[in-house]
Amino acid sequence: MNRLTVHTAVPYEVFVGGGAIGELGPRFQALFPGARAFVAADENALALHGTAVLASLRGAGVTAFSYALPAGEAHKNHETLLKLYAAMAERALTRLDALVALGGGVTGDVAGFAAATYMRGIPCAMVPTTLLSMADSSIGGKTAVNLPYGKNLVGAFSQPRLVLCDTDFIKTLPPREYRAGFAEVIKCAAIADEEAFSRLERGDMSDDEAVFMALTVKRALVESDERDMGQRRLLNFGHTVGHAVENAAGYALLHGEAVAIGMAAMAKIGERLGVTEGGTAQRLSALLQKYGLPVEYGGDRQRVYESLAYDKKTEGAEVDAVLLQKIGKAVRRRLPRKEIVL
Ligand code: MG
């Protein structure tokens, strides 16, 4: 079992490895003595892993109950959130209890935001079930729901108190979701770890190592910039375009797929602007494609440009963009929106 500590205002530990779920009950009990556990779970994750999660908690003497959230990005909204608040209130949950978010990125966002806001905030443990959420959204404390105007427009920074990445869960993922998870892994290597990028190219990295590498890269950026005002924004590589692509596609694409398209686009733009070393875009696209990820958007590109205007990272006609200087080194640049060409 690998572990790392994220040194935010209240530090927390992250466990990565097969069978990590066995640690949930004892760790939960030690962190929140006497607390009840409200497991807010993606309906699919609950069916697959609910028994193991509840057994781990109850085995440690924790009173635990579960609540199923509808699966999918389309449900990452206030309707889902209000139903979740109601379920928490019906259980008479208080700040002496804690929420366990079980599922992918959508669940972490919605359940994390519910934990951040219910009774002005209750503790939250993250148990991500997808490769993408293990490698990315499980740490860092970003929680949010979407508005019809765009993604993540209402949310809060609220760090979890415990994160358990049971990499055995990855084995139950549909192949498409498994591949999409590598977009965030490849992103972390591309912006900060050339050696890891080379190992991914050689196919010489286990899933456990991939998750741990991505979390190590993200941890350093989160620790240096918890509120996402500067360096942490390097993690947005591929995301400004990615979010616009997701909007334009009406969420027919998975987040990882949209980010893959966004990263490929930004690498090409960077080369055209002379910021990115020649050959980088080709190398990045080749690796993305090796993992079965798309590198071009097949839909209506005009809709992507329109969506860019609503991204919270755009101000006026300029975009806060992340470009690669080379593999393993990213920089932030303000770019006119017209430079963002797919
Ligand atoms: Mg992402």
Side-chain angles (χ1 to χ4, degrees):
M1 188 83 51
N2 276 308
R3 70 160 85 175
L4 57 101
T5 303
V6 184
H7 297 96
T8 43
V10 178
Y12 54 97
E13 282 194 294
V14 183
F15 294 82
V16 181
I21 198 63
E23 297 282 329
L24 177 62
R27 302 279 165 194
F28 185 98
Q29 180 66 277
L31 274 171
F32 319 117
R36 294 174 299 159
F38 185 97
V39 180
D42 169 282
E43 58 192 338
N44 299 323
L46 189 62
L48 286 166
H49 312 299
T51 307
V53 167
L54 293 170
S56 178
L57 289 162
R58 289 170 181 157
V62 177
T63 301
F65 19 76
S66 60
Y67 174 80
L69 294 162
E73 184 76 38
H75 296 286
K76 191 174 136 179
N77 56 30
H78 278 85
E79 196 185 325
T80 303
L81 185 65
L82 290 176
K83 285 182 187 160
L84 175 55
Y85 287 141
M88 292 163 78
E90 276 163 26
R91 289 288 188 178
L93 221 63
T94 76
R95 277 183 291 205
L96 299 175
D97 301 312
L99 186 143
V100 176
L102 174 71
V106 171
T107 305
D109 262 337
V110 177
F113 186 57
T117 48
Y118 178 81
M119 295 192 77
R120 301 193 180 90
I122 67 170
C124 181
M126 289 284 173
V127 183
T129 56
T130 64
L131 176 60
L132 187 123
S133 58
M134 287 183 198
D136 183 42
S137 56
S138 64
I139 71 166
K142 280 192 180 179
T143 69
V145 291
N146 299 333
L147 291 182
Y149 301 94
K151 281 173 61 86
N152 303 328
L153 291 185
V154 180
F157 284 97
S158 182
Q159 300 292 336
R161 299 285 308 280
L162 171 69
V163 180
L164 284 164
C165 300
D166 190 329
T167 46
D168 284 346
F169 290 178
I170 296 172
K171 297 179 185 126
T172 63
L173 291 176
R176 186 179 167 197
E177 250 192 72
Y178 175 76
R179 290 195 300 269
F182 274 99
E184 301 282 7
V185 171
I186 291 168
K187 176 196 78 179
C188 287
I191 63 170
D193 193 338
E194 204 275 332
E195 154 75 16
F197 194 94
S198 300
R199 287 181 63 196
L200 287 166
E201 287 177 315
R202 295 197 301 270
D204 172 30
M205 195 182 273
S206 70
D207 289 353
D208 284 29
E209 290 171 320
V211 169
F212 198 76
M213 178 278 294
L215 289 175
T216 302
V217 167
K218 179 163 180 177
R219 174 182 64 167
L221 294 168
V222 168
E223 286 178 349
S224 71
D225 175 24
E226 197 174 329
R227 303 288 294 189
D228 200 19
M229 302 299 281
Q231 279 300 92
R232 180 171 173 174
R233 292 191 181 185
L234 296 178
L235 291 163
N236 289 334
F237 178 53
H239 279 62
T240 300
V241 171
H243 284 166
V245 165
E246 272 180 299
N247 264 337
Y251 300 122
L253 286 170
L254 297 175
H255 178 67
E257 294 168 340
V259 168
I261 292 167
M263 289 193 289
M266 294 314 289
K268 274 193 227 161
I269 291 164
E271 283 193 19
R272 200 185 64 234
L273 296 174
V275 175
T276 306
E277 193 176 276
T280 302
Q282 204 284 324
R283 202 176 155 196
L284 179 60
S285 286
L287 183 58
L288 292 167
Q289 284 174 304
K290 177 176 140 96
Y291 280 92
L293 290 162
V295 293
E296 273 176 12
Y297 182 55
D300 180 358
R301 291 173 187 196
Q302 190 52 40
R303 290 191 59 186
V304 176
Y305 302 128
E306 284 160 17
S307 287
L308 271 172
Y310 291 108
D311 191 287
K312 66 184 183 312
K313 289 179 287 297
T314 68
E315 285 145 37
E318 287 209 316
V319 178
D320 185 9
V322 180
L323 299 172
L324 297 180
Q325 281 184 335
K326 57 180 183 176
I327 297 296
K329 176 86 179 114
V331 288
R332 293 169 56 209
R333 285 278 192 284
R334 303 282 307 164
L335 291 184
R337 187 141 52 93
K338 65 176 171 48
E339 295 287 355
I340 310 292
V341 193
L342 290 189

